[in-house]
């Protein structure tokens, strides 16, 4: 444990930490790629987060461990590992620079296999979930230069920028590996122990509403004995499983009291609690007030902050903001809450989901956010859209247009194509994804059968660009050229080439492609 400064002695350390997060106490917390993911949306090793403490000092809580962090500290964590940064009492700011990346996007073979000793250059030899380095002097300067190079390449997107980023990322991982230190961990807790417990925690957050959820049911799903999981959970987290389950349910109950008009009976049912009397007892024991008083006081606080006399749920704004932060599970819950409260489906879609994705699109176009942030925002939107899809047909909500998209024949690259697809869906378009290595006939046949207004062709290899011209010719032969617009894009494609082959539109990036597709659909 550490000296946390002047926290009130009546508060437990965990409570004090929850009340003093960075975003409430600092004016300079740099977050290049948002690491705030839900475990239910991430598999371990799918995303890795490299956090560099660039300025100031504070507290880093990982699992139940509370550690000091200061300039020069570098943490490499799986994005699903529960952790938070806090400003230390008396400090003005804590500047953190984050890099978040999908390992499989950048590495192949042993470097991308978690079970391999060479996974990410062996950074996780000591712990398969986290690694820690403390840098000083020239070592810190080297890491900062590499970080700045990655930031510059990602922002400017010069030719071969992805290869340059990969090269810098390799240098960064190797530099960290050379200075690797073993952080202060409990030697009685193995990496596998933490993996098991983190999975149990994820299952609780996914199934808290189920009254039948118990330690035994979680243990059964993990093929473990109840007693073993109970002891392991307490050893890793510092609290009993039953206490953690109650705290998760109580957190959800507090959210529903604050943000909805649901009755206490409905909240008890929705949070998997036993009954109303036990809910009152639990609430008073933990928060020293009744649920109704909590609802009244939190509503007053919101009204005072907003300067309004009427309660304002701002649920659509919450959907938009959480979508931009990539909080997929929260977005899904908020969308369901908005539906339950009777907000029209079309309004939830346009003012919540599409509004948030539109903001991300504009930021991406202006180089204010980068590919990882777009990907996680799109994932959050898809989670929210899943709730709305069954209701959209009943409400008569229609897509703003329909397009088919694919990487042309002979080309297996799909990162750019997938990004364009996500941005188009974020504009309310219905997108038919044809995948990679798509023949010209497939584009045309799909457009005819699916009623697509736009065909989108992507290519990364110069040798496959000629297929785009074939798509235009096949559309003419099929007699649909005057009914369907053809868009082209990719690293080797230019505006001049677009005009040469007779296509309708070329765009240099995903955000522009989404905007152009909307305009073309409206014109058809």
């Amino acid at each position: 444990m550490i000296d946390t400064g002047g926290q009130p002695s009546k508060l437990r350390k965990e409570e004090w930490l929850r009340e003093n997060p960075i975003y409430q106490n600092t004016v300079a917390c740099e977050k290049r790629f948002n690491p705030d993911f839900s475990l239910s949306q991430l598999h371990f090793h799918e995303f890795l987060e490299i956090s560099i403490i660039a300025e100031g000092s504070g507290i880093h809580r990982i699992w139940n461990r509370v550690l000091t962090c200061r300039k020069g500290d570098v943490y490499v964590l799986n994005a699903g590992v529960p952790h938070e940064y806090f400003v230390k009492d008396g400090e003005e700011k804590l500047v953190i620079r984050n890099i978040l990346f999908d390992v499989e996007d950048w590495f192949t073979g042993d470097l991308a296999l978690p079970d391999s000793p060479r996974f990410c250059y062996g950074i996780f030899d000591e712990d398969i979930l986290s690694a820690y380095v403390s840098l000083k002097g020239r070592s810190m300067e080297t890491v900062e230069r590499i970080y700045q190079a990655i930031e510059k390449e990602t922002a400017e997107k010069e030719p071969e920028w992805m290869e340059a980023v990969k090269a810098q990322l390799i240098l960064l991982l190797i530099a960290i590996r050379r200075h690797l230190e073993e952080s202060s961990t409990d030697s009685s807790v193995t990496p596998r122990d933490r993996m098991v417990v983190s999975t149990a925690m994820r299952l609780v957050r996914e199934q808290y509403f189920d009254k039948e959820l118990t330690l035994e049911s979680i243990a059964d799903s993990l093929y473990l004995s109840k007693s073993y999981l109970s002891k392991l959970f307490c050893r890793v987290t510092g609290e009993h499983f039953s206490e953690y389950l109650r705290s998760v349910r109580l957190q959800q109950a507090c959210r529903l009291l604050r943000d909805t008009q649901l009755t206490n009976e409905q909240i008890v049912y929705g949070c998997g609690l036993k009954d109303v009397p036990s809910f009152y007892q639990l609430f008073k024991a933990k928060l020293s007030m009744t649920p109704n008083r909590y609802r009244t006081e939190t509503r007053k606080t919101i009204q005072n902050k907003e300067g309004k006399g009427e309660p304002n749920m701002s649920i659509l704004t919450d959907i938009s903001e959480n979508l931009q932060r990539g909080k997929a599970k929260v977005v899904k819950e908020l969308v369901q809450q908005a539906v339950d409260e009777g907000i029209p489906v079309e309004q939830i879609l346009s003012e919540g989901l599409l509004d948030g994705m539109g903001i991300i699109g504009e930021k991406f176009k202006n180089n204010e956010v980068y590919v990882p942030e777009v990907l996680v925002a799109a994932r959050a939107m898809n989670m929210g859209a899943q709730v709305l899809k069954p209701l959209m047909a009943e409400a008569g909500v229609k897509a703003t247009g329909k397009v088919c998209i694919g990487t042309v024949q002979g080309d297996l690259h799909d990162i750019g194509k997938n990004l364009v697809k996500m941005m188009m869906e974020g504009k309310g378009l219905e997108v038919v994804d044809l995948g990679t290595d798509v023949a010209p006939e497939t584009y045309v046949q799909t457009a005819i059968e699916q009623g697509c207004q736009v065909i989108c062709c992507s290519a990364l290899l110069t040798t496959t660009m000629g297929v785009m011209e074939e798509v235009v010719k096949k559309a003419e032969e099929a007699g649909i050229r005057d009914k369907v617009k053809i868009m082209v894009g990719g690293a080797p494609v230019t505006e001049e080439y677009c005009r040469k082959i007779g296509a309708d539109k070329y765009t240099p990036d995903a955000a522009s492609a989404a905007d152009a597709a909307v305009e073309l659909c409206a014109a058809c």
Side-chain angles (χ1 to χ4, degrees), residues 323 353-363 423 426-427:
L323 184 148
L353 298 177
L354 297 185
D355 177 76
M357 203 61 199
I359 293 172
I360 283 290
E362 285 299 314
K363 288 184 176 180
M423 299 297 284
K427 290 290 184 178

Side-chain angles (χ1 to χ4, degrees), residues 103-148:
V103 176
E104 292 186 354
D105 277 351
W106 300 95
F107 301 113
T108 58
D110 290 348
L111 292 175
L113 295 176
D115 295 332
S116 168
R118 279 180 50 77
F119 176 73
C120 286
Y121 294 91
I123 278 186
F124 296 104
D125 278 353
E126 298 292 339
D127 185 337
I128 61 172
L129 298 179
S130 62
Y132 165 74
V133 173
S134 181
L135 302 175
K136 295 180 177 63
R138 291 183 179 179
S139 300
M140 183 60 181
E141 291 176 3
T142 299
V143 168
E144 286 188 325
R145 281 198 302 271
I146 295 173
Y147 178 91
Q148 290 166 4

Side-chain angles (χ1 to χ4, degrees), residues 326-337:
K327 294 185 176 181
K329 188 175 181 181
V330 175
V331 169
K332 184 177 181 180
E333 292 173 351
L334 289 173
V335 169
Q336 184 60 60
Q337 180 184 328

Side-chain angles (χ1 to χ4, degrees), residues 36 87 114 121 167 215 504:
D36 196 0
V87 174
Y121 294 91
L215 174 63
D504 297 294

Side-chain angles (χ1 to χ4, degrees), residues 253-510:
C254 288
R255 179 183 63 79
L256 294 175
L257 284 167
R258 183 182 66 247
D259 298 338
T260 74
Q261 300 289 350
L262 296 177
T263 64
N264 289 327
E265 290 81 2
Q266 291 171 321
I267 291 174
V268 166
Y269 176 79
C271 294
L273 295 163
K274 183 179 179 182
D275 50 43
V276 173
S278 60
F279 170 51
Y280 267 75
Q281 292 176 3
L282 174 64
F283 209 93
K284 290 187 70 175
K286 296 296 183 182
L287 282 84
S288 301
M289 65 177 74
T290 64
N292 291 335
R293 182 183 169 192
Y294 175 85
R295 171 173 271 168
T296 301
E297 292 193 359
T298 52
R299 294 278 176 83
K300 286 180 180 178
T301 301
I302 293 173
Q303 293 171 31
N304 291 336
K305 288 182 178 179
E306 296 178 349
K308 299 179 180 179
E310 295 293 331
N312 182 6
M313 298 299 101
S314 302
I315 190 168
L316 299 179
T317 301
D318 289 343
I319 291 173
S320 174
E321 291 177 351
N322 281 284
L323 184 148
Q324 293 170 52
R325 292 195 290 267
K327 294 185 176 181
K329 188 175 181 181
V330 175
V331 169
K332 184 177 181 180
E333 292 173 351
L334 289 173
V335 169
Q336 184 60 60
Q337 180 184 328
V339 171
D340 294 341
E341 293 183 5
I343 299 177
V345 173
E346 186 173 7
Q347 189 175 1
I348 298 172
L349 179 65
S350 61
E351 297 181 23
L353 298 177
L354 297 185
D355 177 76
M357 203 61 199
I359 293 172
I360 283 290
E362 285 299 314
K363 288 184 176 180
F364 180 75
K365 191 186 299 184
N366 298 328
N367 291 324
E368 296 175 19
V369 299
Y370 307 105
V371 172
E373 290 166 298
V374 176
L375 294 177
V376 295
R379 178 180 295 182
M381 178 178 169
N382 289 334
M383 289 285 285
Q386 288 175 14
V387 178
L388 296 181
K389 279 181 180 178
L391 307 172
M392 289 170 66
E394 299 174 7
V397 179
K398 296 182 179 180
T400 55
K402 192 171 186 178
V403 306
C404 61
I405 187 172
T407 306
V408 298
Q409 193 170 42
D411 198 331
L412 299 178
H413 295 87
D414 67 353
I415 294 178
K417 182 265 297 179
N418 291 340
L419 188 57
V420 172
K421 174 191 172 184
M422 292 175 181
M423 299 297 284
M424 287 182 173
E425 289 177 335
K427 290 290 184 178
L429 294 169
E430 182 179 354
V431 183
V432 180
D433 189 352
L434 301 176
T436 61
D437 195 24
V438 182
E441 299 83 4
T442 304
Y443 285 104
V444 175
Q445 191 64 30
T446 301
I448 295 172
E449 294 176 354
Q450 300 280 348
C452 299
Q453 296 143 299
V454 179
I455 293 174
C456 301
C457 304
S458 172
L460 185 65
L461 303 176
T462 306
T463 54
T464 62
M465 289 171 58
V467 180
M468 294 179 171
E469 186 173 3
E470 287 298 316
V471 174
V472 176
K473 291 179 180 178
K474 291 295 181 182
E476 291 172 348
E477 293 173 4
I480 65 169
R481 189 65 188 89
D482 59 334
K483 301 175 184 177
V484 177
K485 302 297 183 183
I486 299 177
M487 291 178 57
V488 296
V493 183
T494 63
E495 180 69 43
E496 182 181 358
Y497 183 76
C498 173
R499 291 194 298 268
K500 177 183 176 182
I501 65 174
D504 297 294
K505 190 70 176 178
Y506 158 78
T507 54
D509 56 69

Side-chain angles (χ1 to χ4, degrees), residues 8-213:
S9 58
K10 67 179 181 180
L11 289 179
R12 293 172 58 199
K13 185 179 295 294
E14 291 83 357
E15 294 170 342
W16 178 80
L17 288 172
R18 282 197 295 269
E19 294 172 3
N20 294 273
I22 283 177
Y23 62 82
Q24 291 180 352
N25 290 273
T26 181
V27 295
C29 177
E30 298 184 19
K31 288 186 177 293
R32 295 302 177 188
F33 303 146
N34 186 357
D36 196 0
F37 288 94
S38 165
L39 275 173
S40 65
Q41 301 307 313
L42 287 177
H43 299 292
F44 285 110
H45 298 298
E46 180 179 2
F47 285 89
L48 288 186
E49 174 190 340
I50 302 176
S51 297
I52 304 168
I53 311 300
E55 188 176 346
S57 62
I59 298 167
H60 190 190
R61 184 181 184 187
I62 309 175
W63 296 98
N64 66 325
R65 290 180 289 140
V66 181
L67 311 169
T68 53
C69 60
R70 58 183 62 83
K71 182 177 180 179
D73 286 354
V74 180
Y75 296 90
V76 186
L77 301 168
N78 283 266
V81 172
H83 70 108
E84 297 173 286
Y85 292 96
F86 304 90
V87 174
K88 204 171 181 180
D89 191 27
E91 295 286 340
E92 294 182 358
K93 62 183 178 180
L94 178 62
V95 178
I96 304 169
R97 292 177 175 170
N98 289 333
I99 297 175
L100 182 74
F101 66 97
D102 186 332
V103 176
E104 292 186 354
D105 277 351
W106 300 95
F107 301 113
T108 58
D110 290 348
L111 292 175
L113 295 176
D115 295 332
S116 168
R118 279 180 50 77
F119 176 73
C120 286
Y121 294 91
I123 278 186
F124 296 104
D125 278 353
E126 298 292 339
D127 185 337
I128 61 172
L129 298 179
S130 62
Y132 165 74
V133 173
S134 181
L135 302 175
K136 295 180 177 63
R138 291 183 179 179
S139 300
M140 183 60 181
E141 291 176 3
T142 299
V143 168
E144 286 188 325
R145 281 198 302 271
I146 295 173
Y147 178 91
Q148 290 166 4
I150 292 175
E151 183 181 33
K152 181 176 181 293
E153 291 290 346
T154 308
E156 296 180 356
K157 293 184 174 60
E158 296 289 344
E160 310 298 334
W161 70 273
M162 293 189 68
E163 286 75 8
V165 169
K166 180 178 178 180
Q168 294 294 339
L169 192 57
I170 291 172
L171 290 175
L172 179 59
L173 293 173
I174 291 175
I176 293 172
R177 179 68 182 92
R178 287 177 175 174
H179 297 88
L180 197 62
E181 297 179 8
E182 184 176 357
S183 58
S184 57
T185 60
D186 182 354
S187 59
S188 66
V189 177
T190 68
R192 180 186 176 279
D193 292 338
R194 282 191 285 274
M195 181 73 83
V196 170
V197 171
S198 65
T199 303
M201 294 170 72
R202 172 176 59 81
L203 292 174
V204 169
R205 286 193 290 273
E206 288 177 345
Q207 305 172 33
Y208 67 88
F209 50 82
D210 184 359
K211 279 190 175 183
E212 303 303 318
L213 181 67

